[in-house]
Amino acid sequence: MRITPASNPSLEDLMLRRIRTTVAAALCCTALGAGIAGCDGDALDNWDPMAPATTKTADAAPISGTEKIHVAGRSVNVSCSGDPKKGEPVIMLMHGAGDGLDKLAAIQKTLSEQNRVCSYDRLGSGASDQPDGPQSFSSTGKILTGVLDRVAGDNPVVLAGHSLGGLIAARYAPDHQDRVKGLVLMDATPPTMLDDIEKAIPESATGPAAELRAQNLAVFQGENPEKLVMTDGKVRSAGDIPVEVIQHGKQYLAALPEYGPRLEQAWAAGQRKWLALSSDSKLSTAKNSEHYIYVDQPDVAVKAIERVTAQAARQAHGE
């Protein structure tokens, strides 16, 4: 939808609503105004942070469709499709915050025609358990490890993440180079987004910008459904694995009055920073997409994921 200057209250309301949803969906990785998830899961004494994730079980039946699995004492909702092939890469799709694996169903179906593809709801998302307390990149990574143990076993993995899912994937890969053999980041939350927001929207800002700034800072401090505290950090190398970074082409962040252009510049700079993940990385632009690239231009996302998966497969076979 194209934004035009407000000429009456209804248009002004419409513009503000769009700013709050589309801009915040990228920056906060969740829509502003969304209810913070309650702690309705198991009691705290059922949560064992030292418990092993899951055991790699080669004889376990491959998951087909959607299934609940137990990871570190928690129930995690997982979906897998496509034929499993020993030694071939398994694609793991990772949703943005405020979303769930259902949002990825269409692209998963397309990719599964030629690949083994899985997705999962992180704690606090979709049909998975709620977190009992604050999460970190380390703790959410432990859940990812448990899921991969179950769905991929010893097979190589390609992580394809959108928004917050991309940020988590990029933070996870450097510490798991024995398993993660490819990355696709679809408009991933930049590695220094917290600092970027504070610089792009000064504390002196008023109106919608001030509200957006305050709510973003709160989200990054853990006031989000996943209770994930998102800290800035340097981009660490994940080796020489194939990495494709895709950024949005439609500059919808510019919709924020006065500070929008700064946000667009910071976001674009953040996408370039992710190129340091690998010596074999490249950046492209989905020209007709806003934040949800895999929805706006699914063909762009699918081709990128398939390219990285094919390259990961060749490397796994020593070609």
Side-chain angles (χ1 to χ4, degrees):
M1 180 176 63
R2 186 179 180 83
I3 295 178
T4 56
S7 58
N8 57 59
S10 62
L11 286 178
E12 183 177 11
D13 289 343
L14 183 62
M15 183 178 74
L16 182 56
R17 189 180 311 118
R18 178 177 172 81
I19 291 171
R20 287 177 174 173
T21 54
T22 60
V23 175
L27 303 183
C28 304
C29 310
T30 186
L32 294 181
I36 302 301
C39 196
D40 298 326
D42 296 335
L44 184 59
D45 55 9
N46 289 332
W47 165 250
D48 180 5
M50 300 304 293
T54 58
T55 302
K56 293 182 182 179
T57 51
D59 57 344
I63 295 174
S64 180
T66 303
E67 182 178 316
K68 296 284 185 67
I69 66 173
H70 288 282
V71 180
R74 311 302 287 165
S75 177
V76 179
N77 193 43
V78 176
S79 172
C80 289
S81 50
D83 296 330
K85 300 175 183 177
K86 186 174 179 58
E88 294 297 319
V90 174
I91 299 169
M92 175 57 72
L93 302 175
M94 301 180 65
H95 63 76
D99 295 330
L101 62 78
D102 58 325
K103 186 86 174 181
L104 300 164
I107 188 172
Q108 180 169 328
K109 181 179 180 181
T110 299
L111 286 166
S112 65
E113 293 175 3
Q114 301 293 331
N115 304 276
R116 177 67 169 168
V117 191
C118 296
S119 57
Y120 75 109
D121 292 325
R122 293 187 296 274
L123 295 186
S125 302
S128 290
D129 278 353
Q130 298 293 330
D132 285 307
Q135 294 198 87
S136 64
F137 287 125
S138 177
S139 62
T140 198
K142 182 176 182 180
I143 298 297
L144 174 56
T145 293
V147 172
L148 294 177
D149 284 347
R150 175 65 179 86
V151 304
D154 294 323
N155 285 35
V157 171
V158 170
L159 299 179
H162 169 251
S163 195
L164 176 59
L167 173 61
I168 293 172
R171 293 296 189 210
Y172 181 87
D175 293 325
H176 298 85
Q177 296 183 41
D178 59 328
R179 163 175 271 169
V180 179
K181 301 302 181 181
L183 280 172
V184 178
L185 306 183
M186 297 173 282
D187 225 31
T189 304
T192 56
M193 197 66 239
L194 184 59
D195 184 60
D196 293 343
I197 292 169
E198 291 179 323
K199 289 180 178 178
I201 306 177
E203 194 173 358
S204 59
T206 59
E211 180 182 355
L212 184 65
R213 185 182 193 274
Q215 294 195 24
N216 268 272
L217 296 183
V219 165
F220 274 81
Q221 291 167 2
E223 294 183 23
N224 56 75
E226 298 178 44
K227 297 184 180 179
L228 177 62
V229 179
M230 294 171 260
T231 55
D232 286 351
K234 293 183 179 179
V235 178
R236 294 179 297 132
S237 174
D240 59 356
I241 64 173
V243 175
E244 291 209 24
V245 179
I246 313 172
Q247 64 183 355
H248 66 260
K250 289 187 175 180
Q251 298 195 353
Y252 67 93
L253 296 175
L256 183 70
E258 188 175 354
Y259 303 105
R262 295 185 192 177
L263 291 175
E264 284 287 358
Q265 291 172 5
W267 190 270
Q271 302 308 298
R272 292 192 294 273
K273 289 176 183 177
W274 285 130
L275 295 176
L277 277 164
S278 171
S279 56
D280 184 13
S281 60
K282 68 178 184 179
L283 173 67
S284 62
T285 301
K287 296 181 179 180
N288 298 318
S289 295
E290 293 189 357
H291 187 47
Y292 281 85
I293 293 171
Y294 67 93
V295 175
D296 293 342
Q297 289 185 270
D299 57 322
V300 171
V302 167
K303 288 178 181 178
I305 295 170
E306 288 184 335
R307 280 194 300 268
V308 168
T309 302
Q311 188 171 344
R314 289 194 296 269
Q315 292 179 352
H317 297 152
E319 298 177 9

